[in-house]
């Protein structure tokens, strides 16, 4: 219970705890299977002592290994032979500039890729709709009919970009498509130039990319590329990937992708589309989710950030894209799997389970609703309300399952004491504080009949800036509640995220500025408790060490870097 006390503040209590915001720089850990990837690889295809076929690009000295080198990967790889390498070489296809629009700095998006369905762009727009919670600033799709890649992107929601004017989807023919919903981490939210997928032309053809994540060495990479003469069209970190691919001397395209990715630091779940293939790549730590499935009707391959996107377009979930894996899907439907070098210990973002992902999704192999329920139940055991409570209410939406877990474990009845408007989006994701302030009041309305005269436990998934909690507590008091006890199903957020979640600067994080008692006073709760970090880890079980919890612990798997260059905002 010591941990519980450290994370709890009651009106009568003066307990205080200040959590250090400073990121701890850590050396990188190599995974147990690291030696497999760095073992010497003879030229061409060979069977090694691990019974792994190593792949060696004949035109470069790069070592590419089939992903099956890890015994845990469920799919048999399709090994490339020399002929396939040859065919994979891209023919010159005419160049094209970026699909212009523009940018400011931040992070978390949704990506989708489809190959093998004549309705690819329509399915893509539906899948993006299912991923809308991951980003609301912009949406886009690039499709390909086997020859030319075409792009439609725009600021706003998927329905705003694609729903109003059917001709926009008509302009995206073909059986392959890649899509993106944006929540900016690097590059202005308001700039249409920064809306993905980015479409570019390089020496051997066209390539489109959709990225979820954030590159911590983006500024340094961009400075180097600019020194070498690259001209950037956007202020997004993602654009460096295209430049690295374009300047690579490796062949075929997948070797360029691998060479580019080896220079990236940070988080990236990427989907690439070229005229003849679809590629999915996940960074060596696996910070951001990425899953693969197939449409039940015709076997079309689908990649998406979350399984909720697969469900909507009737695609059967097959597996995660593994960390450090590159999956290549050919137009004939064949699927190959390679791995990036080096591969690291997994550091999946625990905040996906806490807040970002939808509860009906499977993320990192776990049902999100179950994780949230468990966090809430653990919180109830750790931090009951002293003197008891009459009702447990969730802060909709993402506090719902944690509140259910809290109510069931504590034995206090669960009620829907706050009603959510369906017409207001996520407040955390809103770009300005003014909009967030208004957003909370527009979005949530108290139910007087449930709250009046009651000792109310309010359960939310997280406190970031404190905007939501303070507004909600005021609303609940105005509705007549006798006491309001706030319970948060995650630890205090004390550090910014550098891996694709646009958590604000550390100064804006309320738990960075003050201890738990200070936050309680600020939000004017009768008591406040956070789930302790130890309990969060206990709830994750054996896999706890494979999660990133840097925004709670300050332990950053990849050292964050400050921007080292100044540049003109586009
Ligand atoms: O402390 P704050 O800065 O207010 O941020 C924390 C709040 O933001 C998120 O909700 P959001 O409204 O974004 O989305 P949701 O509807 O999915 O819960 C989160 O669930 C908290 O409620
Ligand atoms: N949230 C994200 O994953 C953002 C992707 C990319 N870093 C951007 O800012 O557009
Ligand atoms: S710092 Fe936090 S939000 Fe960012 S990847 Fe790690 S756990 Fe997720
Ligand atoms: Mg919320």
């Amino acid at each position: 219970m010591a941990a519980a006390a450290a994370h709890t503040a009651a009106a009568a209590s003066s307990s205080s705890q200040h959590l250090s915001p400073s990121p701890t720089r850590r050396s990188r850990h190599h995974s147990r299977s690291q030696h497999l990837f760095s073992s010497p690889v003879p030229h061409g295809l060979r069977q090694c002592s691990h019974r792994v076929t190593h792949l060696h690009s004949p035109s470069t000295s790069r070592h590419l290994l089939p992903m099956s080198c890890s015994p845990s990967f469920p799919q048999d790889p399709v090994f490339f032979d020399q002929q396939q390498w040859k065919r994979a070489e891209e023919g010159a296809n005419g160049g094209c500039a970026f699909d212009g629009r523009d940018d400011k700095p931040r992070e978390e998006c949704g990506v989708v890729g489809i190959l093998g369905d004549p309705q690819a762009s329509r399915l893509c727009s539906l899948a993006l709709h299912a991923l809308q919670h991951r980003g609301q600033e912009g949406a886009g799709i690039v499709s390909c009919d086997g020859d030319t890649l075409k792009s439609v992107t725009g600021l706003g929601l998927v329905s705003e970009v694609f729903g109003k004017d059917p001709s926009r989807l008509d302009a995206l023919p073909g059986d392959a498509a890649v899509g993106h919903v944006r929540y900016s981490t690097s590059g202005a939210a308001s700039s249409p130039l920064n809306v993905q997928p980015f479409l570019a032309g390089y020496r051997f053809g066209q390539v489109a990319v959709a990225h979820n994540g954030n590159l911590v060495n983006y500024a340094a990479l961009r400075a180097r590329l600019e020194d070498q003469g690259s001209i950037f069209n956007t202020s997004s970190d993602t654009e460096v990937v295209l430049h690295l691919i374009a300047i690579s001397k490796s062949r075929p395209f997948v070797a360029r992708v691998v060479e580019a990715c080896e220079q990236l630091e940070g988080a990236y779940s990427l989907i690439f589309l070229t005229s003849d293939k679809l590629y999915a790549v996940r960074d060596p730590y696996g910070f951001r989710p990425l899953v693969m499935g197939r449409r039940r009707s015709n076997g079309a391959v689908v990649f998406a950030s979350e399984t909720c996107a697969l469900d909507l377009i009737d695609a059967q979930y097959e597996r995660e894209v593994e960390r450090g894996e590159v999956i290549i899907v050919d137009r004939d439907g064949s699927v190959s799997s390679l791995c990036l070098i080096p591969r690291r210990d997994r550091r999946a973002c625990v905040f996906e389970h806490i807040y970002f992902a939808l509860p009906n999704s499977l993320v990192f192999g776990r049902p999100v609703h179950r994780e949230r329920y468990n966090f809430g139940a653990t919180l109830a055991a750790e931090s009951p309300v002293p003197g008891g409570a009459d009702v447990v209410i969730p802060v909709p939406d993402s506090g719902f399952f944690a509140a259910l877990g809290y109510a069931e474990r504590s034995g206090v009845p669960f009620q829907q004491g706050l009603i959510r408007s369906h017409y207001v989006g996520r407040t955390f994701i809103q770009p300005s504080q003014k909009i967030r302030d208004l957003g909370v009041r527009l979005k949530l309305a108290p139910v007087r009949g449930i709250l009046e005269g009651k000792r109310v436990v309010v359960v939310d998934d997280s406190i970031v800036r404190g905007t939501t909690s303070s507004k909600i507590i005021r609303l609940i008091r105005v509705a007549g509640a006798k006491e309001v006890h706030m319970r948060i199903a995650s630890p205090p957020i004390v550090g910014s995220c550098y891996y694709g979640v646009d958590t604000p600067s550390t100064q804006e994080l309320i738990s960075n500025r003050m201890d738990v008692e200070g936050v309680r006073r600020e939000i004017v709760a009768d008591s406040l408790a956070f789930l302790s970090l130890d309990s969060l880890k206990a709830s994750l079980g054996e896999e706890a060490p494979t999660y990133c919890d840097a925004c709670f612990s300050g332990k950053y798997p990849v050292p964050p870097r400050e921007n080292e260059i100044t540049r003109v905002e586009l």
Side-chain angles (χ1 to χ4, degrees):
M1 286 318 261
H7 288 273
T8 308
S13 147
S14 61
S15 86
S16 77
Q17 185 203 24
H18 193 79
L19 295 167
S20 164
S22 56
T24 310
R25 287 181 182 244
R26 280 186 138 191
S27 61
R28 293 177 181 184
H29 301 291
H30 289 244
S31 70
R32 261 186 301 129
S33 49
Q34 177 79 29
H35 66 283
L36 291 182
F37 308 139
S38 53
S39 58
V41 181
H43 189 81
L45 288 171
R46 291 286 290 276
Q47 196 81 13
C48 80
S49 57
H50 303 287
R51 293 175 184 246
V52 173
T53 304
H54 292 248
L55 199 65
H56 187 198
S57 162
S59 56
T60 72
S61 58
R62 311 209 62 71
H63 301 163
L64 304 173
L65 309 185
M67 204 56 192
S68 65
C69 49
S70 160
S72 62
F73 296 138
Q75 265 210 343
D76 283 334
V78 176
F79 297 127
F80 275 12
D81 59 26
Q82 297 285 354
Q83 279 306 315
Q84 285 172 304
W85 273 113
K86 220 160 175 230
R87 271 192 278 125
E89 301 275 327
E90 308 256 17
N93 213 6
C96 95
F98 281 96
D99 170 53
R101 324 270 158 148
D102 98 54
D103 172 308
K104 130 194 180 183
R106 299 177 201 191
E107 186 298 289
E108 194 77 359
C109 298
V111 294
V112 59
I114 299 172
L115 181 64
D117 194 298
Q119 298 289 313
S121 60
R122 283 197 156 68
L123 293 168
C124 205
S125 72
L126 292 172
L128 290 179
H129 184 76
L131 296 174
Q132 187 75 84
H133 58 286
R134 297 182 71 86
Q136 297 147 20
E137 294 168 358
I141 297 175
V142 171
S143 77
C144 182
D145 56 5
D147 182 24
T148 311
L149 275 68
K150 301 212 167 110
S151 162
V152 174
T153 60
L155 290 172
L157 302 174
V158 178
S159 58
E160 291 165 335
V161 179
F162 294 103
K164 290 179 181 159
D165 180 359
S167 69
R168 291 197 173 169
L169 283 174
D170 294 341
L172 295 167
D175 65 350
V178 58
H180 192 265
V181 283
R182 182 166 194 242
Y183 167 42
S184 55
T185 58
S186 296
S190 57
S191 167
L193 283 173
N194 288 334
V195 180
Q196 300 185 30
F198 294 151
L199 173 58
Y202 77 115
R203 194 170 154 223
F204 298 109
Q206 288 178 290
V207 54
V209 64
H211 171 210
N212 174 205
N214 192 59
L215 307 174
V216 300
N217 64 337
Y218 150 66
L221 286 173
R222 180 169 172 150
R224 195 187 83 207
L225 286 159
E226 285 178 329
D227 277 351
Q228 293 168 8
S230 291
I231 296 173
F232 279 74
N233 269 12
T234 75
S235 49
S236 160
D237 56 337
T238 308
E239 192 182 340
V240 298
V241 181
L242 291 174
H243 289 270
L244 292 171
I245 286 172
I247 64 168
S248 168
K249 297 279 183 283
S250 297
R251 309 271 296 263
F253 180 78
V254 69
R256 289 172 178 266
V257 168
V258 171
E259 187 177 320
C261 289
E262 284 174 6
Q263 297 170 70
L264 307 179
E265 288 174 25
Y268 51 90
S269 284
L270 294 163
I271 302 181
F272 295 96
L273 180 65
T274 61
S275 60
D276 60 351
K277 289 184 182 60
L278 183 69
Y279 304 79
V281 188
R282 224 168 135 207
D283 68 66
Y285 293 90
F287 283 108
R288 298 281 141 232
L290 192 59
V291 295
M292 177 180 165
R294 272 176 212 270
R295 291 207 75 212
R296 288 182 182 87
S297 56
N298 58 10
V301 174
V302 183
F303 296 107
S305 296
E306 294 179 34
T307 57
C308 61
L310 302 184
D311 295 341
L312 187 66
I313 60 172
D314 201 24
Q316 172 75 45
Y317 168 73
E318 284 192 355
R319 66 178 180 97
E320 285 190 83
V321 177
E322 296 290 341
R323 69 188 192 283
E325 184 179 18
V326 184
I327 298 183
I328 306 139
V329 189
D330 232 301
R331 282 199 166 267
D332 65 7
S334 63
V335 175
S336 325
S337 170
L338 308 171
C339 53
L340 297 174
I341 302 167
R343 193 160 163 244
R344 311 286 183 178
D345 288 341
R346 188 180 90 150
R347 288 292 179 268
C349 170
V350 73
F351 212 57
E352 291 279 352
H353 286 314
I354 293 167
Y355 168 77
F356 267 111
L358 278 195
N360 51 318
S361 282
L362 195 68
V363 165
F364 309 132
R366 292 167 177 240
V368 173
H369 71 87
R370 192 192 65 196
E371 295 307 307
R372 287 189 190 158
Y373 180 96
N374 290 341
F375 297 155
T378 309
L379 180 62
E382 191 176 61
S383 298
V385 170
D390 302 313
V391 64
V392 173
I393 67 164
V395 179
D397 276 330
S398 43
F400 183 89
F401 283 95
L404 203 58
Y406 192 100
E408 287 188 7
R409 180 67 65 88
S410 63
V412 178
F414 176 92
Q415 291 264 23
Q416 205 167 339
L418 289 165
I419 302 299
R420 188 203 157 142
S421 162
H422 294 286
Y423 310 104
V424 181
R426 305 191 106 174
T427 50
F428 172 67
I429 285 176
Q430 300 302 323
S432 90
Q433 184 63 34
K434 255 190 190 161
I435 298 175
R436 281 192 296 272
D437 278 346
L438 184 65
V440 175
R441 279 182 290 137
L442 283 175
K443 181 167 151 181
L444 300 169
V447 183
R448 182 174 280 275
I450 289 174
L451 303 168
E452 202 162 23
K454 301 277 174 48
R455 294 169 300 168
V456 180
V457 185
V458 187
V459 181
D460 203 354
D461 58 279
S462 57
I463 292 183
V464 185
R465 300 170 181 89
T467 315
T468 305
S469 317
S470 55
K471 297 265 177 311
I472 281 173
I473 290 171
R474 203 175 318 145
L475 288 174
I476 292 171
R477 288 197 196 282
V478 170
K482 199 161 75 185
E483 293 171 17
V484 185
H485 302 273
M486 195 81 200
R487 292 293 178 271
I488 304 298
S490 66
I493 298 175
V494 294
S496 294
C497 174
Y498 299 89
Y499 316 128
V501 177
D502 181 25
T503 41
S505 65
T506 46
Q507 294 79 0
E508 287 176 84
L509 295 166
I510 192 168
S511 294
N512 180 261
R513 284 189 279 115
M514 50 190 90
D515 61 15
V516 179
E517 171 58 14
V519 177
R520 184 200 67 74
R521 268 193 260 112
E522 186 82 6
I523 64 176
V524 201
D526 290 287
S527 76
L528 167 67
F530 290 85
L531 183 67
S532 67
L533 187 54
D534 285 347
S535 294
L536 175 72
K537 289 180 179 173
S539 184
L540 293 168
E542 276 179 5
E543 283 191 335
T546 73
Y547 278 91
C548 173
D549 54 25
C551 47
F552 306 116
S553 65
K555 293 177 181 166
Y556 288 86
V558 177
R561 296 192 191 179
E562 297 309 319
N563 276 2
E564 292 138 354
I565 55 165
T566 49
R567 58 184 154 62
V568 178
E569 280 289 311
L570 294 171

